Every structure is written in structure tokens, then in C-alpha cells.
Amino acid sequence: MNSWRISSVGRKGQAGLIALLGLLVVLTSVGSLALGAAPIPPGEVIAALLGRGGVTQTAIVLYARLPRLCGCLLAGAALACAGVIIQGVLNNPLAAPNIIGVNSGAGLATAICCAAAPGAVRWTPAAAFLGALAGVLLVLFISERAGAARITLVLAGVAISSMFGAGIDAVVTFVPDALSGYTDFRIGGVKNLSMARLAPAFWVIVIALVIALSLSNELDLLLLGRETAQSLGLPAKWLRLALLMLAAALAGAAVSFAGLLGFVGLLTPHIMRRLVGEESFPLLLSSALGGGLLLTVCDLAARLIFAPFELPLGVMLSLTGGPFFLWLLLRQRRGGGV
């Protein structure tokens, strides 16, 4: 087993921690719907969700805060689980969708799609998947050539992200209206979402999560090493490709509506691994909940800390994830793992 992974906790401990995460998600979701520029008591929030609230409260909850909350939960779950898969398949604790170019590849494909077919919102998750897949295949190629040189993979990912980012800038330069709210897209956020815009990505994320959970046993075997997995009859090469395609689908769907959010896929898997252990099924499940919880808390903090001003969600994540990444990098270097 990989040296950077944490030993597993008991089944009861895993179940208890996952249940606690679920409870925290519910509580923060209520807080996200209730708190903001116009606070709404929880009782009125529930009434608005049931269609029994006042006109103003119902409009705020259903058309402003609920899509924003759903965007946080979906993007957080998708990016966190993509991070779990990428770190496991590449055997690299420093890998994450935003660091190795997966998010920026999805962003470039989204920009091209919006420039070529304005208003075709339903196609953006498919375009983002293709862009993310291109990024992840580049990463797979580099990881095959770099071997165990983890820092090489990270540096290559930075280069790939820069190239894809330049591509996004070029598209927006030639077609300025390709991405509405371009600055928000580059930073990442969930403002001004609608349920209609979330619907295509919702199905992609749900289906990809179900498939990823169903392949958790195979992921566990793959983590033992390619040679060991092949000796057990596992088609390691094709399984790695399939899992990376799932990660691309998850990251691409999230980018299609939330923009280039960073660090969710790095921060969440490491925290969850320390809480529930290394087994893939509980790790994926807890990361889905933890990612949604992280984004919801950061979004709520971005709304409230500097009220009436609001920080972009991506800024809050960078302030949180940047120091964590530096700490992780230094820790890996001290341990000789990079």
C-alpha cells in the first residue's frame, strides 16, 4: 500500500463519521438558505421550500439561494471525488484536478463550446468532459514517462494548466461574449446559477459518482500496484483509463457551471483519508459529502464575513487551499516522497 495513505479505521467509526458529515451537510445547507443579505428564519425557509412562504421569501430561497446551494453540493462532491480517483490512479498525493490541468482543460472546452454555440447550455458538460479528458490523458502520458517523480508531474500539470488557461484567454479575446462573467468563471463561483443550468451537469455527476462507487473494489486493488492488480486478473491499464475518464466527467461537469474552482480535489481527499481511512468506498462517499460541505461553508463565509460585500467563492478556496498545498508539498519533500 502507498506510504502516503492512512491506515483504515473500523467500520463503525467510518459509518459514524459519514453520518456526522451528512448531518453537517444538512445543517450548513439550512444555514446557506437562511443566511445572507436578507436573513430568513429556518421555519420560513422550510415554508418557502414547500411553497407556503411569503412571495419575497419564496423568491429568495427558490431562485437565488437554492440553486447556489445545489451548485456548491454538486461541484464539491464532483471535484472531491475526482481528486480521490486521480490521486489513487496516479499514486500521487499532490495531484488534484486544478493542479494537473484537468479543470483548465474543461474550462477551455467550455469556452470553445460557448463561443461556437452560444446558448447551448445543455452541451457544456459534454464539452467540458472532452476538455478534462484531454487534460487527464496528457497527465497520464506524463506520469508514465515520469515514473515516481511526483514533483515532475506537478510541474507538468502547472505547464498544462497555463497552456489551457492561455487558450481560454484567446477564445475570450476573439469572442468576448463566449463566457458570461468571465472573471467569475476564471476565479470560480456559484453566483447567479439557475436550476435549469445545473440540470445537465447534475445527471453527469450523479451517474459518474454511482459508477465510481461501484468500482471502489477495483480501485482498492489498483492501489496495490499495477503488477499486483494484473496478477489478480485485473485489466489494470484499461481500469486506470476508465477511472480517469470518470474523474474527467466529474471535474468537467463541475467546471461547466462553477468555473475553475481550485483545491477542493486536493484538500478534501486528504482530510477524509485521515478521518475514514484508505478504503475507496467510504473515502469516495465521505469525500462527496466533505467536498459539498467545504464549498457550502466557504460560500457562506464569502457572503457573510465582509457583508454587505461578497468575496468570490474561488478566492475563499484559494485562501484556504493554497497554504495547505504548500504544507503538503513541504511535508512530502521532508519525507522524500517527491
Side-chain angles (χ1 to χ4, degrees):
M1 190 63 69
N2 302 325
S3 60
W4 54 274
R5 297 178 69 84
I6 307 300
S7 60
S8 179
V9 298
R11 295 284 184 179
K12 290 184 178 179
Q14 289 175 340
L17 287 167
I18 290 172
L20 177 60
L21 282 172
L23 177 61
L24 291 174
V25 168
V26 171
L27 293 176
T28 54
S29 296
V30 173
S32 179
L33 295 175
L35 300 175
I40 301 174
E44 294 186 21
V45 168
I46 295 173
L49 292 174
L50 297 175
R52 300 173 184 171
V55 176
T56 302
Q57 290 86 346
T58 299
I60 292 173
V61 171
L62 294 184
Y63 301 110
R65 294 182 184 173
L66 183 60
R68 188 166 183 162
L69 170 63
C70 292
C72 285
L73 296 176
L74 285 173
L79 293 172
C81 288
V84 170
I85 294 170
I86 290 172
Q87 288 173 8
V89 171
L90 298 181
N91 186 24
N92 193 329
L94 301 176
N98 67 299
I99 293 173
I100 61 175
V102 178
N103 281 7
S104 55
L108 175 58
T110 299
I112 294 173
C113 178
C114 292
V121 177
R122 66 183 182 277
W123 296 111
T124 53
F129 163 71
L130 294 176
L133 182 61
V136 88
L137 289 178
L138 277 172
V139 167
L140 182 60
F141 173 78
I142 292 170
S143 69
E144 294 285 350
R145 295 300 181 94
R150 293 172 175 174
I151 192 62
T152 303
L153 180 62
V154 173
L155 293 175
V158 171
I160 292 170
S161 295
S162 298
M163 290 187 292
F164 284 151
I168 297 173
D169 292 336
V171 171
V172 175
T173 298
F174 290 114
V175 188
D177 296 330
L179 293 174
S180 59
Y182 174 60
T183 301
D184 291 338
F185 181 84
R186 287 300 300 265
I187 296 174
V190 290
K191 290 178 62 177
N192 303 319
L193 285 179
S194 66
M195 300 305 285
R197 187 178 173 190
L198 286 174
F202 168 81
W203 292 110
V204 173
I205 291 171
V206 168
I207 293 171
L209 284 176
V210 170
I211 296 174
L213 288 169
S214 70
L215 291 175
S216 59
N217 290 333
E218 286 80 359
L219 180 57
D220 283 331
L221 292 176
L222 191 61
L223 292 171
L224 297 174
R226 182 185 301 183
E227 294 77 11
T228 302
Q230 288 177 338
S231 69
L232 295 173
L234 201 67
K237 179 179 179 180
W238 294 108
L239 180 60
R240 293 180 77 203
L241 181 59
L243 287 168
L244 288 175
M245 289 179 68
L246 283 175
L250 289 166
V255 168
S256 70
F257 66 84
L260 304 180
L261 290 173
F263 295 110
V264 183
L266 177 73
L267 187 61
T268 308
H270 280 278
I271 294 174
M272 293 303 114
R273 192 173 284 113
R274 290 184 174 276
L275 291 176
V276 303
E278 62 185 89
E279 190 178 353
S280 295
F281 186 88
L283 180 58
L284 284 167
L285 189 57
S286 63
S287 293
L289 292 170
L293 178 63
L294 174 63
L295 276 192
T296 303
V297 170
C298 286
D299 183 57
L300 193 56
R303 278 188 271 167
L304 298 178
I305 290 177
F306 298 103
F309 302 101
E310 180 178 327
L311 280 177
L313 176 57
V315 172
M316 290 296 298
L317 280 172
S318 295
L319 291 174
T320 304
F324 178 83
F325 179 71
L326 292 175
W327 170 81
L328 183 63
L329 181 62
L330 292 173
R331 180 172 176 268
Q332 290 292 316
R333 288 188 65 83
R334 284 199 304 268
V338 178

